[in-house]
Amino acid sequence: MKESIKKPVLAVGPFHPLQEEMEFFQLTVDGEIVTDIDVRISYNHRGIEKISETLQFDQVPYLVSRICGICSASHPLAYVQAVEEIAGITPPERALYVRTIINELERIHSHMLWVGLAGHFIGYDTVFMWAWKYREPVLDLLEEITGNRNNYGNVKIGGCREDVPNEIIGKMLKELDALEKKTDMLTKAVLDDPVLHARLKGVGILSYEDAVKYAVTGPTARGSGVAIDVRRDDPYAAYADLDWNVITQPEGDVFAKAVVRLLEVFESIKIIRQAAKKLPDGPIAVEVKEIPAGEAVGHTEAPRGETFHYVRSDGGNRPVRHKVRAPSFVNVPSFKASCIGEEIPDVTITLAAVDPCYSCTERLAVIDENNKIVHDYETLLKLSREKTAKMKKEML
Amino acid sequence: MSWKIWSLKKSPWVFHVNVGACNNCDIEIVNCLTPKFDIERFGMKLVGSPRHADALLVTGVGTRQAVVRLREVYRQTSKPCVVFIIGACACGTGIFHNGYHVAGPVDKVIKEVDPNAIIAYVPGCPPKPEAIISGVVKALSAI
């Protein structure tokens, strides 16, 4: 404790002009060099898992789409896949393709958003304005298909709420052609810019070993050479029928993560084109009667990594337990590996490089008056073991 | 009209406060600055400190951790200021109304600090950038 008092601590947050959300970083610094980092979260904690237990199965997708505004297609899809596994429902073929299209449109707009914000963080506002201008047509498409620019709420148990009408497909492909050209220009401008090379290469390196050790997911892992992608490893929706590549970069620095995201935009465009071509005719939803007792997990590849939902049902009309693990929850601790040893100005872009989403990640710790955590790791472990033992006894 | 209000209506500088939002409203606010909408044409600008701001853009339900900071931010904002409450969550806690960690709605928290606060509401989940711009214009022409 005394040791940490001696060292100067730089506080970033909770309201920081750079980051949109509330989060609090304590950077222990030695001169300009960061020697330790502590992340305090839970400013954004809304208790979604508990609220979800008070809602009916078909209402929960609209709640979980509001976990995070940017992943508002992946979270409900993961939940719906878990419930469909419990109930043994197979959604119609067309619904799977519609889900794929919506999810890839979301990935495009999320990656463009990140590229813009990353440009803003390093003071390169031209990239910010370009990227955000180019993502607007994607939002317009999403609005035309689902009725809302964000928070689409388009998946429901047994299928989809809104179809991708055949009239829109031609327009969508035309928009994607235009987007591909613009993204190509942006990618070349970003990747060939000597200023960005000097600013981003070798900054915030997360090595392959550290990426495996911290179990990071999504573009953060793929930027460190770890080729994991739920869409390929455990295909859901229509990904198994489509042809695309998992983009990886071996370097692990911020530049590699930017390259991964920019190239993934092209892969997403490729996926949507194929899905639009193969889109089968037929209904987009099946009728769902009852959700039997049981438990299941559903996972999807959100723009930031693997989104994981666990749902348990007791045969009633509400989930009795709903657990969410968003990708940022595993990506944020990797700051310990990537930020330590960096200079303070480089830390901001390193923090932003994993595209952290704190509203997904928020957890809660209860502390007493003496700042001591009431339920620390040991007590939680003990409680969990006691409960498991109790459940095992009941089963026998 | 006092000169303070007159000067407030010209090129309002805004500070953005997220008190437990899902990022959607925040992104739509930032969207207002980007080329398609570009409210910086009218002198509206996101600033980095509440002490520089004429208006607060508050998004989110107001979690128990956040409302303490929101009160402090409101006290620090130079007066007179307009508080724009953006999004369904901030206007009335929305879908999170029965959450155990929700201390909102935001207007209640602001009124605890200053009962005479000027508050404008922009509902929607999330409100479109057009709605945000329209809300700001309406509020500024009303005061």
Side-chain angles (χ1 to χ4, degrees), chain A residues 206-213 215-229 232 246-250:
Chain A
L206 182 70
S207 64
Y208 180 91
E209 291 74 30
D210 280 334
V212 173
K213 188 176 138 201
V216 294
T217 59
T220 314
R222 295 196 283 275
S224 299
V226 187
I228 49 166
D229 194 319
R232 184 201 59 188
V246 176
I247 307 282
T248 53
Q249 289 283 320

mmCIF file with all atom_site columns, all heavy atoms in Angstrom, chain A residues 206-213 215-229 232 246-250:
data_model
loop_
_atom_site.group_PDB
_atom_site.id
_atom_site.type_symbol
_atom_site.label_atom_id
_atom_site.label_alt_id
_atom_site.label_comp_id
_atom_site.label_asym_id
_atom_site.label_entity_id
_atom_site.label_seq_id
_atom_site.pdbx_PDB_ins_code
_atom_site.Cartn_x
_atom_site.Cartn_y
_atom_site.Cartn_z
_atom_site.occupancy
_atom_site.B_iso_or_equiv
_atom_site.pdbx_formal_charge
_atom_site.auth_seq_id
_atom_site.auth_comp_id
_atom_site.auth_asym_id
_atom_site.auth_atom_id
_atom_site.pdbx_PDB_model_num
ATOM 1   N N   . LEU A 1 206 ? 0.592   -6.446  -28.010 1.00 0.00 ? 206 LEU A N   1
ATOM 2   C CA  . LEU A 1 206 ? 0.057   -7.584  -27.257 1.00 0.00 ? 206 LEU A CA  1
ATOM 3   C C   . LEU A 1 206 ? 0.570   -8.827  -27.980 1.00 0.00 ? 206 LEU A C   1
ATOM 4   O O   . LEU A 1 206 ? 0.133   -9.121  -29.088 1.00 0.00 ? 206 LEU A O   1
ATOM 5   C CB  . LEU A 1 206 ? -1.469  -7.539  -27.255 1.00 0.00 ? 206 LEU A CB  1
ATOM 6   C CG  . LEU A 1 206 ? -2.181  -8.625  -26.472 1.00 0.00 ? 206 LEU A CG  1
ATOM 7   C CD1 . LEU A 1 206 ? -1.975  -8.415  -24.986 1.00 0.00 ? 206 LEU A CD1 1
ATOM 8   C CD2 . LEU A 1 206 ? -3.665  -8.626  -26.778 1.00 0.00 ? 206 LEU A CD2 1
ATOM 9   N N   . SER A 1 207 ? 1.544   -9.512  -27.346 1.00 0.00 ? 207 SER A N   1
ATOM 10  C CA  . SER A 1 207 ? 2.180   -10.628 -28.045 1.00 0.00 ? 207 SER A CA  1
ATOM 11  C C   . SER A 1 207 ? 1.222   -11.818 -28.145 1.00 0.00 ? 207 SER A C   1
ATOM 12  O O   . SER A 1 207 ? 0.197   -11.867 -27.479 1.00 0.00 ? 207 SER A O   1
ATOM 13  C CB  . SER A 1 207 ? 3.442   -11.051 -27.295 1.00 0.00 ? 207 SER A CB  1
ATOM 14  O OG  . SER A 1 207 ? 3.079   -11.530 -26.015 1.00 0.00 ? 207 SER A OG  1
ATOM 15  N N   . TYR A 1 208 ? 1.586   -12.782 -29.001 1.00 0.00 ? 208 TYR A N   1
ATOM 16  C CA  . TYR A 1 208 ? 0.758   -13.970 -29.188 1.00 0.00 ? 208 TYR A CA  1
ATOM 17  C C   . TYR A 1 208 ? 0.563   -14.682 -27.843 1.00 0.00 ? 208 TYR A C   1
ATOM 18  O O   . TYR A 1 208 ? -0.555  -15.074 -27.491 1.00 0.00 ? 208 TYR A O   1
ATOM 19  C CB  . TYR A 1 208 ? 1.447   -14.904 -30.198 1.00 0.00 ? 208 TYR A CB  1
ATOM 20  C CG  . TYR A 1 208 ? 0.692   -16.169 -30.493 1.00 0.00 ? 208 TYR A CG  1
ATOM 21  C CD1 . TYR A 1 208 ? -0.216  -16.214 -31.545 1.00 0.00 ? 208 TYR A CD1 1
ATOM 22  C CD2 . TYR A 1 208 ? 0.875   -17.310 -29.724 1.00 0.00 ? 208 TYR A CD2 1
ATOM 23  C CE1 . TYR A 1 208 ? -0.918  -17.370 -31.821 1.00 0.00 ? 208 TYR A CE1 1
ATOM 24  C CE2 . TYR A 1 208 ? 0.173   -18.471 -29.988 1.00 0.00 ? 208 TYR A CE2 1
ATOM 25  C CZ  . TYR A 1 208 ? -0.720  -18.497 -31.031 1.00 0.00 ? 208 TYR A CZ  1
ATOM 26  O OH  . TYR A 1 208 ? -1.426  -19.639 -31.298 1.00 0.00 ? 208 TYR A OH  1
ATOM 27  N N   . GLU A 1 209 ? 1.657   -14.810 -27.055 1.00 0.00 ? 209 GLU A N   1
ATOM 28  C CA  . GLU A 1 209 ? 1.572   -15.520 -25.774 1.00 0.00 ? 209 GLU A CA  1
ATOM 29  C C   . GLU A 1 209 ? 0.621   -14.805 -24.824 1.00 0.00 ? 209 GLU A C   1
ATOM 30  O O   . GLU A 1 209 ? -0.193  -15.430 -24.156 1.00 0.00 ? 209 GLU A O   1
ATOM 31  C CB  . GLU A 1 209 ? 2.964   -15.640 -25.135 1.00 0.00 ? 209 GLU A CB  1
ATOM 32  C CG  . GLU A 1 209 ? 3.934   -16.568 -25.844 1.00 0.00 ? 209 GLU A CG  1
ATOM 33  C CD  . GLU A 1 209 ? 4.470   -15.975 -27.133 1.00 0.00 ? 209 GLU A CD  1
ATOM 34  O OE1 . GLU A 1 209 ? 4.584   -14.727 -27.214 1.00 0.00 ? 209 GLU A OE1 1
ATOM 35  O OE2 . GLU A 1 209 ? 4.755   -16.743 -28.072 1.00 0.00 ? 209 GLU A OE2 1
ATOM 36  N N   . ASP A 1 210 ? 0.740   -13.454 -24.775 1.00 0.00 ? 210 ASP A N   1
ATOM 37  C CA  . ASP A 1 210 ? -0.136  -12.697 -23.881 1.00 0.00 ? 210 ASP A CA  1
ATOM 38  C C   . ASP A 1 210 ? -1.589  -12.793 -24.342 1.00 0.00 ? 210 ASP A C   1
ATOM 39  O O   . ASP A 1 210 ? -2.505  -12.872 -23.518 1.00 0.00 ? 210 ASP A O   1
ATOM 40  C CB  . ASP A 1 210 ? 0.296   -11.237 -23.823 1.00 0.00 ? 210 ASP A CB  1
ATOM 41  C CG  . ASP A 1 210 ? 1.481   -11.034 -22.902 1.00 0.00 ? 210 ASP A CG  1
ATOM 42  O OD1 . ASP A 1 210 ? 1.637   -11.865 -21.980 1.00 0.00 ? 210 ASP A OD1 1
ATOM 43  O OD2 . ASP A 1 210 ? 2.242   -10.079 -23.109 1.00 0.00 ? 210 ASP A OD2 1
ATOM 44  N N   . ALA A 1 211 ? -1.788  -12.774 -25.655 1.00 0.00 ? 211 ALA A N   1
ATOM 45  C CA  . ALA A 1 211 ? -3.156  -12.862 -26.163 1.00 0.00 ? 211 ALA A CA  1
ATOM 46  C C   . ALA A 1 211 ? -3.786  -14.181 -25.749 1.00 0.00 ? 211 ALA A C   1
ATOM 47  O O   . ALA A 1 211 ? -4.964  -14.234 -25.376 1.00 0.00 ? 211 ALA A O   1
ATOM 48  C CB  . ALA A 1 211 ? -3.152  -12.733 -27.686 1.00 0.00 ? 211 ALA A CB  1
ATOM 49  N N   . VAL A 1 212 ? -2.999  -15.258 -25.768 1.00 0.00 ? 212 VAL A N   1
ATOM 50  C CA  . VAL A 1 212 ? -3.524  -16.560 -25.352 1.00 0.00 ? 212 VAL A CA  1
ATOM 51  C C   . VAL A 1 212 ? -3.725  -16.578 -23.843 1.00 0.00 ? 212 VAL A C   1
ATOM 52  O O   . VAL A 1 212 ? -4.741  -17.075 -23.338 1.00 0.00 ? 212 VAL A O   1
ATOM 53  C CB  . VAL A 1 212 ? -2.564  -17.686 -25.797 1.00 0.00 ? 212 VAL A CB  1
ATOM 54  C CG1 . VAL A 1 212 ? -2.996  -19.019 -25.224 1.00 0.00 ? 212 VAL A CG1 1
ATOM 55  C CG2 . VAL A 1 212 ? -2.515  -17.752 -27.306 1.00 0.00 ? 212 VAL A CG2 1
ATOM 56  N N   . LYS A 1 213 ? -2.770  -15.976 -23.111 1.00 0.00 ? 213 LYS A N   1
ATOM 57  C CA  . LYS A 1 213 ? -2.821  -15.989 -21.655 1.00 0.00 ? 213 LYS A CA  1
ATOM 58  C C   . LYS A 1 213 ? -4.048  -15.228 -21.142 1.00 0.00 ? 213 LYS A C   1
ATOM 59  O O   . LYS A 1 213 ? -4.750  -15.674 -20.238 1.00 0.00 ? 213 LYS A O   1
ATOM 60  C CB  . LYS A 1 213 ? -1.544  -15.344 -21.112 1.00 0.00 ? 213 LYS A CB  1
ATOM 61  C CG  . LYS A 1 213 ? -1.371  -15.458 -19.608 1.00 0.00 ? 213 LYS A CG  1
ATOM 62  C CD  . LYS A 1 213 ? -0.034  -14.862 -19.215 1.00 0.00 ? 213 LYS A CD  1
ATOM 63  C CE  . LYS A 1 213 ? -0.164  -14.033 -17.969 1.00 0.00 ? 213 LYS A CE  1
ATOM 64  N NZ  . LYS A 1 213 ? 0.929   -13.067 -17.821 1.00 0.00 ? 213 LYS A NZ  1
ATOM 65  N N   . ALA A 1 215 ? -6.672  -14.694 -22.877 1.00 0.00 ? 215 ALA A N   1
ATOM 66  C CA  . ALA A 1 215 ? -7.845  -15.249 -23.558 1.00 0.00 ? 215 ALA A CA  1
ATOM 67  C C   . ALA A 1 215 ? -8.655  -14.179 -24.271 1.00 0.00 ? 215 ALA A C   1
ATOM 68  O O   . ALA A 1 215 ? -9.874  -14.161 -24.180 1.00 0.00 ? 215 ALA A O   1
ATOM 69  C CB  . ALA A 1 215 ? -8.723  -16.037 -22.590 1.00 0.00 ? 215 ALA A CB  1
ATOM 70  N N   . VAL A 1 216 ? -7.968  -13.270 -24.970 1.00 0.00 ? 216 VAL A N   1
ATOM 71  C CA  . VAL A 1 216 ? -8.693  -12.213 -25.672 1.00 0.00 ? 216 VAL A CA  1
ATOM 72  C C   . VAL A 1 216 ? -9.403  -12.801 -26.894 1.00 0.00 ? 216 VAL A C   1
ATOM 73  O O   . VAL A 1 216 ? -9.069  -13.892 -27.358 1.00 0.00 ? 216 VAL A O   1
ATOM 74  C CB  . VAL A 1 216 ? -7.756  -11.057 -26.099 1.00 0.00 ? 216 VAL A CB  1
ATOM 75  C CG1 . VAL A 1 216 ? -7.211  -10.356 -24.902 1.00 0.00 ? 216 VAL A CG1 1
ATOM 76  C CG2 . VAL A 1 216 ? -6.657  -11.555 -26.991 1.00 0.00 ? 216 VAL A CG2 1
ATOM 77  N N   . THR A 1 217 ? -10.401 -12.076 -27.367 1.00 0.00 ? 217 THR A N   1
ATOM 78  C CA  . THR A 1 217 ? -11.196 -12.578 -28.491 1.00 0.00 ? 217 THR A CA  1
ATOM 79  C C   . THR A 1 217 ? -11.290 -11.506 -29.572 1.00 0.00 ? 217 THR A C   1
ATOM 80  O O   . THR A 1 217 ? -10.890 -10.367 -29.372 1.00 0.00 ? 217 THR A O   1
ATOM 81  C CB  . THR A 1 217 ? -12.627 -12.926 -28.043 1.00 0.00 ? 217 THR A CB  1
ATOM 82  O OG1 . THR A 1 217 ? -13.210 -11.748 -27.511 1.00 0.00 ? 217 THR A OG1 1
ATOM 83  C CG2 . THR A 1 217 ? -12.652 -14.020 -27.032 1.00 0.00 ? 217 THR A CG2 1
ATOM 84  N N   . GLY A 1 218 ? -11.838 -11.906 -30.683 1.00 0.00 ? 218 GLY A N   1
ATOM 85  C CA  . GLY A 1 218 ? -12.172 -10.966 -31.747 1.00 0.00 ? 218 GLY A CA  1
ATOM 86  C C   . GLY A 1 218 ? -10.966 -10.344 -32.419 1.00 0.00 ? 218 GLY A C   1
ATOM 87  O O   . GLY A 1 218 ? -9.887  -10.921 -32.431 1.00 0.00 ? 218 GLY A O   1
ATOM 88  N N   . PRO A 1 219 ? -11.127 -9.136  -32.975 1.00 0.00 ? 219 PRO A N   1
ATOM 89  C CA  . PRO A 1 219 ? -10.022 -8.488  -33.681 1.00 0.00 ? 219 PRO A CA  1
ATOM 90  C C   . PRO A 1 219 ? -8.785  -8.293  -32.801 1.00 0.00 ? 219 PRO A C   1
ATOM 91  O O   . PRO A 1 219 ? -7.668  -8.261  -33.311 1.00 0.00 ? 219 PRO A O   1
ATOM 92  C CB  . PRO A 1 219 ? -10.605 -7.135  -34.088 1.00 0.00 ? 219 PRO A CB  1
ATOM 93  C CG  . PRO A 1 219 ? -12.058 -7.346  -34.135 1.00 0.00 ? 219 PRO A CG  1
ATOM 94  C CD  . PRO A 1 219 ? -12.368 -8.347  -33.085 1.00 0.00 ? 219 PRO A CD  1
ATOM 95  N N   . THR A 1 220 ? -8.974  -8.168  -31.483 1.00 0.00 ? 220 THR A N   1
ATOM 96  C CA  . THR A 1 220 ? -7.823  -8.034  -30.593 1.00 0.00 ? 220 THR A CA  1
ATOM 97  C C   . THR A 1 220 ? -6.947  -9.279  -30.673 1.00 0.00 ? 220 THR A C   1
ATOM 98  O O   . THR A 1 220 ? -5.723  -9.189  -30.741 1.00 0.00 ? 220 THR A O   1
ATOM 99  C CB  . THR A 1 220 ? -8.310  -7.834  -29.147 1.00 0.00 ? 220 THR A CB  1
ATOM 100 O OG1 . THR A 1 220 ? -9.356  -6.867  -29.158 1.00 0.00 ? 220 THR A OG1 1
ATOM 101 C CG2 . THR A 1 220 ? -7.208  -7.371  -28.254 1.00 0.00 ? 220 THR A CG2 1
ATOM 102 N N   . ALA A 1 221 ? -7.582  -10.456 -30.675 1.00 0.00 ? 221 ALA A N   1
ATOM 103 C CA  . ALA A 1 221 ? -6.819  -11.697 -30.772 1.00 0.00 ? 221 ALA A CA  1
ATOM 104 C C   . ALA A 1 221 ? -6.259  -11.862 -32.183 1.00 0.00 ? 221 ALA A C   1
ATOM 105 O O   . ALA A 1 221 ? -5.097  -12.237 -32.360 1.00 0.00 ? 221 ALA A O   1
ATOM 106 C CB  . ALA A 1 221 ? -7.713  -12.882 -30.412 1.00 0.00 ? 221 ALA A CB  1
ATOM 107 N N   . ARG A 1 222 ? -7.095  -11.570 -33.184 1.00 0.00 ? 222 ARG A N   1
ATOM 108 C CA  . ARG A 1 222 ? -6.641  -11.782 -34.563 1.00 0.00 ? 222 ARG A CA  1
ATOM 109 C C   . ARG A 1 222 ? -5.524  -10.819 -34.924 1.00 0.00 ? 222 ARG A C   1
ATOM 110 O O   . ARG A 1 222 ? -4.682  -11.129 -35.757 1.00 0.00 ? 222 ARG A O   1
ATOM 111 C CB  . ARG A 1 222 ? -7.827  -11.631 -35.514 1.00 0.00 ? 222 ARG A CB  1
ATOM 112 C CG  . ARG A 1 222 ? -8.875  -12.709 -35.310 1.00 0.00 ? 222 ARG A CG  1
ATOM 113 C CD  . ARG A 1 222 ? -9.820  -12.801 -36.465 1.00 0.00 ? 222 ARG A CD  1
ATOM 114 N NE  . ARG A 1 222 ? -10.817 -11.748 -36.477 1.00 0.00 ? 222 ARG A NE  1
ATOM 115 C CZ  . ARG A 1 222 ? -11.971 -11.786 -35.817 1.00 0.00 ? 222 ARG A CZ  1
ATOM 116 N NH1 . ARG A 1 222 ? -12.268 -12.833 -35.083 1.00 0.00 ? 222 ARG A NH1 1
ATOM 117 N NH2 . ARG A 1 222 ? -12.819 -10.796 -35.891 1.00 0.00 ? 222 ARG A NH2 1
ATOM 118 N N   . GLY A 1 223 ? -5.485  -9.642  -34.272 1.00 0.00 ? 223 GLY A N   1
ATOM 119 C CA  . GLY A 1 223 ? -4.385  -8.717  -34.497 1.00 0.00 ? 223 GLY A CA  1
ATOM 120 C C   . GLY A 1 223 ? -3.087  -9.197  -33.884 1.00 0.00 ? 223 GLY A C   1
ATOM 121 O O   . GLY A 1 223 ? -2.020  -8.685  -34.191 1.00 0.00 ? 223 GLY A O   1
ATOM 122 N N   . SER A 1 224 ? -3.170  -10.180 -32.965 1.00 0.00 ? 224 SER A N   1
ATOM 123 C CA  . SER A 1 224 ? -1.968  -10.752 -32.371 1.00 0.00 ? 224 SER A CA  1
ATOM 124 C C   . SER A 1 224 ? -1.650  -12.111 -32.976 1.00 0.00 ? 224 SER A C   1
ATOM 125 O O   . SER A 1 224 ? -0.872  -12.869 -32.409 1.00 0.00 ? 224 SER A O   1
ATOM 126 C CB  . SER A 1 224 ? -2.141  -10.893 -30.857 1.00 0.00 ? 224 SER A CB  1
ATOM 127 O OG  . SER A 1 224 ? -2.348  -9.643  -30.270 1.00 0.00 ? 224 SER A OG  1
ATOM 128 N N   . GLY A 1 225 ? -2.282  -12.456 -34.053 1.00 0.00 ? 225 GLY A N   1
ATOM 129 C CA  . GLY A 1 225 ? -1.962  -13.706 -34.742 1.00 0.00 ? 225 GLY A CA  1
ATOM 130 C C   . GLY A 1 225 ? -2.741  -14.911 -34.265 1.00 0.00 ? 225 GLY A C   1
ATOM 131 O O   . GLY A 1 225 ? -2.479  -16.028 -34.706 1.00 0.00 ? 225 GLY A O   1
ATOM 132 N N   . VAL A 1 226 ? -3.694  -14.737 -33.337 1.00 0.00 ? 226 VAL A N   1
ATOM 133 C CA  . VAL A 1 226 ? -4.502  -15.861 -32.866 1.00 0.00 ? 226 VAL A CA  1
ATOM 134 C C   . VAL A 1 226 ? -5.726  -15.964 -33.774 1.00 0.00 ? 226 VAL A C   1
ATOM 135 O O   . VAL A 1 226 ? -6.603  -15.117 -33.728 1.00 0.00 ? 226 VAL A O   1
ATOM 136 C CB  . VAL A 1 226 ? -4.948  -15.672 -31.401 1.00 0.00 ? 226 VAL A CB  1
ATOM 137 C CG1 . VAL A 1 226 ? -5.629  -16.925 -30.892 1.00 0.00 ? 226 VAL A CG1 1
ATOM 138 C CG2 . VAL A 1 226 ? -3.779  -15.305 -30.532 1.00 0.00 ? 226 VAL A CG2 1
ATOM 139 N N   . ALA A 1 227 ? -5.761  -17.004 -34.597 1.00 0.00 ? 227 ALA A N   1
ATOM 140 C CA  . ALA A 1 227 ? -6.837  -17.091 -35.599 1.00 0.00 ? 227 ALA A CA  1
ATOM 141 C C   . ALA A 1 227 ? -8.058  -17.757 -34.991 1.00 0.00 ? 227 ALA A C   1
ATOM 142 O O   . ALA A 1 227 ? -8.305  -18.953 -35.176 1.00 0.00 ? 227 ALA A O   1
ATOM 143 C CB  . ALA A 1 227 ? -6.348  -17.856 -36.815 1.00 0.00 ? 227 ALA A CB  1
ATOM 144 N N   . ILE A 1 228 ? -8.835  -16.985 -34.195 1.00 0.00 ? 228 ILE A N   1
ATOM 145 C CA  . ILE A 1 228 ? -10.086 -17.543 -33.675 1.00 0.00 ? 228 ILE A CA  1
ATOM 146 C C   . ILE A 1 228 ? -11.233 -16.696 -34.176 1.00 0.00 ? 228 ILE A C   1
ATOM 147 O O   . ILE A 1 228 ? -11.133 -15.480 -34.255 1.00 0.00 ? 228 ILE A O   1
ATOM 148 C CB  . ILE A 1 228 ? -10.122 -17.624 -32.128 1.00 0.00 ? 228 ILE A CB  1
ATOM 149 C CG1 . ILE A 1 228 ? -9.701  -16.290 -31.512 1.00 0.00 ? 228 ILE A CG1 1
ATOM 150 C CG2 . ILE A 1 228 ? -9.290  -18.752 -31.615 1.00 0.00 ? 228 ILE A CG2 1
ATOM 151 C CD1 . ILE A 1 228 ? -10.019 -16.194 -30.060 1.00 0.00 ? 228 ILE A CD1 1
ATOM 152 N N   . ASP A 1 229 ? -12.309 -17.352 -34.525 1.00 0.00 ? 229 ASP A N   1
ATOM 153 C CA  . ASP A 1 229 ? -13.485 -16.653 -35.010 1.00 0.00 ? 229 ASP A CA  1
ATOM 154 C C   . ASP A 1 229 ? -14.657 -17.611 -34.858 1.00 0.00 ? 229 ASP A C   1
ATOM 155 O O   . ASP A 1 229 ? -14.637 -18.705 -35.413 1.00 0.00 ? 229 ASP A O   1
ATOM 156 C CB  . ASP A 1 229 ? -13.299 -16.252 -36.469 1.00 0.00 ? 229 ASP A CB  1
ATOM 157 C CG  . ASP A 1 229 ? -14.347 -15.242 -36.902 1.00 0.00 ? 229 ASP A CG  1
ATOM 158 O OD1 . ASP A 1 229 ? -15.509 -15.414 -36.511 1.00 0.00 ? 229 ASP A OD1 1
ATOM 159 O OD2 . ASP A 1 229 ? -13.992 -14.292 -37.613 1.00 0.00 ? 229 ASP A OD2 1
ATOM 160 N N   . ARG A 1 232 ? -16.302 -19.150 -37.890 1.00 0.00 ? 232 ARG A N   1
ATOM 161 C CA  . ARG A 1 232 ? -15.687 -20.270 -38.575 1.00 0.00 ? 232 ARG A CA  1
ATOM 162 C C   . ARG A 1 232 ? -15.600 -21.494 -37.663 1.00 0.00 ? 232 ARG A C   1
ATOM 163 O O   . ARG A 1 232 ? -15.815 -22.625 -38.095 1.00 0.00 ? 232 ARG A O   1
ATOM 164 C CB  . ARG A 1 232 ? -14.273 -19.876 -39.036 1.00 0.00 ? 232 ARG A CB  1
ATOM 165 C CG  . ARG A 1 232 ? -13.587 -20.951 -39.838 1.00 0.00 ? 232 ARG A CG  1
ATOM 166 C CD  . ARG A 1 232 ? -12.088 -20.754 -39.823 1.00 0.00 ? 232 ARG A CD  1
ATOM 167 N NE  . ARG A 1 232 ? -11.569 -20.786 -38.461 1.00 0.00 ? 232 ARG A NE  1
ATOM 168 C CZ  . ARG A 1 232 ? -10.311 -20.485 -38.141 1.00 0.00 ? 232 ARG A CZ  1
ATOM 169 N NH1 . ARG A 1 232 ? -9.472  -20.102 -39.065 1.00 0.00 ? 232 ARG A NH1 1
ATOM 170 N NH2 . ARG A 1 232 ? -9.902  -20.542 -36.892 1.00 0.00 ? 232 ARG A NH2 1
ATOM 171 N N   . VAL A 1 246 ? -10.668 -15.640 -42.471 1.00 0.00 ? 246 VAL A N   1
ATOM 172 C CA  . VAL A 1 246 ? -10.390 -15.052 -41.166 1.00 0.00 ? 246 VAL A CA  1
ATOM 173 C C   . VAL A 1 246 ? -9.110  -14.238 -41.318 1.00 0.00 ? 246 VAL A C   1
ATOM 174 O O   . VAL A 1 246 ? -8.073  -14.766 -41.697 1.00 0.00 ? 246 VAL A O   1
ATOM 175 C CB  . VAL A 1 246 ? -10.213 -16.140 -40.089 1.00 0.00 ? 246 VAL A CB  1
ATOM 176 C CG1 . VAL A 1 246 ? -9.832  -15.514 -38.760 1.00 0.00 ? 246 VAL A CG1 1
ATOM 177 C CG2 . VAL A 1 246 ? -11.478 -16.944 -39.937 1.00 0.00 ? 246 VAL A CG2 1
ATOM 178 N N   . ILE A 1 247 ? -9.205  -12.935 -41.039 1.00 0.00 ? 247 ILE A N   1
ATOM 179 C CA  . ILE A 1 247 ? -8.059  -12.045 -41.220 1.00 0.00 ? 247 ILE A CA  1
ATOM 180 C C   . ILE A 1 247 ? -7.199  -12.076 -39.960 1.00 0.00 ? 247 ILE A C   1
ATOM 181 O O   . ILE A 1 247 ? -7.715  -11.897 -38.858 1.00 0.00 ? 247 ILE A O   1
ATOM 182 C CB  . ILE A 1 247 ? -8.534  -10.602 -41.461 1.00 0.00 ? 247 ILE A CB  1
ATOM 183 C CG1 . ILE A 1 247 ? -9.551  -10.539 -42.593 1.00 0.00 ? 247 ILE A CG1 1
ATOM 184 C CG2 . ILE A 1 247 ? -7.366  -9.668  -41.678 1.00 0.00 ? 247 ILE A CG2 1
ATOM 185 C CD1 . ILE A 1 247 ? -8.975  -10.607 -43.940 1.00 0.00 ? 247 ILE A CD1 1
ATOM 186 N N   . THR A 1 248 ? -5.913  -12.320 -40.111 1.00 0.00 ? 248 THR A N   1
ATOM 187 C CA  . THR A 1 248 ? -5.032  -12.212 -38.945 1.00 0.00 ? 248 THR A CA  1
ATOM 188 C C   . THR A 1 248 ? -3.802  -11.397 -39.320 1.00 0.00 ? 248 THR A C   1
ATOM 189 O O   . THR A 1 248 ? -3.433  -11.314 -40.490 1.00 0.00 ? 248 THR A O   1
ATOM 190 C CB  . THR A 1 248 ? -4.548  -13.591 -38.438 1.00 0.00 ? 248 THR A CB  1
ATOM 191 O OG1 . THR A 1 248 ? -3.983  -14.293 -39.537 1.00 0.00 ? 248 THR A OG1 1
ATOM 192 C CG2 . THR A 1 248 ? -5.658  -14.386 -37.837 1.00 0.00 ? 248 THR A CG2 1
ATOM 193 N N   . GLN A 1 249 ? -3.220  -10.798 -38.302 1.00 0.00 ? 249 GLN A N   1
ATOM 194 C CA  . GLN A 1 249 ? -1.969  -10.061 -38.456 1.00 0.00 ? 249 GLN A CA  1
ATOM 195 C C   . GLN A 1 249 ? -1.067  -10.496 -37.307 1.00 0.00 ? 249 GLN A C   1
ATOM 196 O O   . GLN A 1 249 ? -1.529  -10.601 -36.179 1.00 0.00 ? 249 GLN A O   1
ATOM 197 C CB  . GLN A 1 249 ? -2.223  -8.551  -38.364 1.00 0.00 ? 249 GLN A CB  1
ATOM 198 C CG  . GLN A 1 249 ? -2.955  -7.958  -39.549 1.00 0.00 ? 249 GLN A CG  1
ATOM 199 C CD  . GLN A 1 249 ? -2.049  -7.773  -40.750 1.00 0.00 ? 249 GLN A CD  1
ATOM 200 O OE1 . GLN A 1 249 ? -0.909  -7.386  -40.622 1.00 0.00 ? 249 GLN A OE1 1
ATOM 201 N NE2 . GLN A 1 249 ? -2.561  -8.072  -41.935 1.00 0.00 ? 249 GLN A NE2 1
ATOM 202 N N   . PRO A 1 250 ? 0.204   -10.764 -37.564 1.00 0.00 ? 250 PRO A N   1
ATOM 203 C CA  . PRO A 1 250 ? 1.042   -11.302 -36.494 1.00 0.00 ? 250 PRO A CA  1
ATOM 204 C C   . PRO A 1 250 ? 1.587   -10.276 -35.507 1.00 0.00 ? 250 PRO A C   1
ATOM 205 O O   . PRO A 1 250 ? 2.006   -10.647 -34.413 1.00 0.00 ? 250 PRO A O   1
ATOM 206 C CB  . PRO A 1 250 ? 2.192   -11.969 -37.265 1.00 0.00 ? 250 PRO A CB  1
ATOM 207 C CG  . PRO A 1 250 ? 2.254   -11.230 -38.560 1.00 0.00 ? 250 PRO A CG  1
ATOM 208 C CD  . PRO A 1 250 ? 0.885   -10.745 -38.866 1.00 0.00 ? 250 PRO A CD  1
#
